[in-house]
Amino acid sequence: MSEILKLHYDVDGDNFMAAGAASSDVKRVLRQLGIDANAIRKAAVAMYEGEINMVIHAGGGVADITVADDFIEIVLADKGPGIPDVEKAMQEGWSTAPDNIRALGFGAGMGLPNMKKYSDDMTIDTEVGVGTTITMRINI
């Protein structure tokens, strides 16, 4: 494995208008690097879903991306409330998003399922009251 690039983003938890900016930038950088279009799409969707989850549920967080010869790794970390029941949170359509967030068109309960669907490997490390770190790997 030869590392090509590392990227770091702060995800503002109070700004829905900026949500998605980091995933858009990663998509742009991956295109400039000539990464396979399918891998770019998977990385962009998975990261966007994670960004939105950090804004909705955790008050923001950080995203660290590593691009290597054969994979893209996305690590999303927050100091939010943690996920009390990961198995339930992985069910499509299950959401703890409040009504005001749903009124904005978010909180449909597809974030974590889509993150898993669009990554080749995903791990969730979460502790209630401490926060959550999600690591996703997309093979190139």
Side-chain angles (χ1 to χ4, degrees):
M1 183 226 38
S2 176
E3 191 176 291
I4 298 172
L5 181 66
K6 280 190 173 280
L7 302 166
H8 174 84
Y9 301 91
D10 292 313
V11 178
D12 183 354
D14 296 322
N15 189 350
F16 272 96
M17 297 301 289
S23 56
S24 291
D25 192 61
V26 167
K27 185 177 179 180
R28 179 189 59 78
V29 170
L30 294 175
R31 278 189 184 140
Q32 288 176 338
L33 291 172
I35 302 294
D36 172 72
N38 187 51
I40 293 172
R41 181 179 60 82
K42 289 169 67 174
V45 170
M47 186 168 164
Y48 176 79
E49 293 285 8
E51 272 185 271
I52 294 297
N53 276 357
M54 285 194 289
V55 172
I56 292 171
H57 301 288
V62 296
D64 288 295
I65 293 79
T66 301
V67 181
D69 289 332
D70 55 351
F71 68 86
I72 302 159
E73 183 180 75
I74 301 166
V75 179
L76 306 171
D78 67 57
K79 295 187 182 343
I83 304 170
D85 188 338
V86 172
E87 189 175 317
K88 190 178 275 187
M90 289 300 297
Q91 295 175 12
E92 290 185 10
W94 190 85
S95 177
T96 58
D99 289 340
N100 66 315
I101 300 300
R102 291 174 190 257
L104 295 172
F106 299 101
M110 292 304 295
L112 286 173
N114 277 340
M115 290 164 72
K116 182 163 181 61
K117 176 181 177 180
Y118 286 96
S119 60
D120 294 303
D121 184 55
M122 183 174 98
T123 59
I124 300 173
D125 180 22
T126 187
E127 186 176 341
V128 174
V130 176
T132 301
T133 299
I134 297 177
T135 303
M136 296 176 285
R137 184 173 283 216
I138 291 97
N139 297 326
I140 298 175

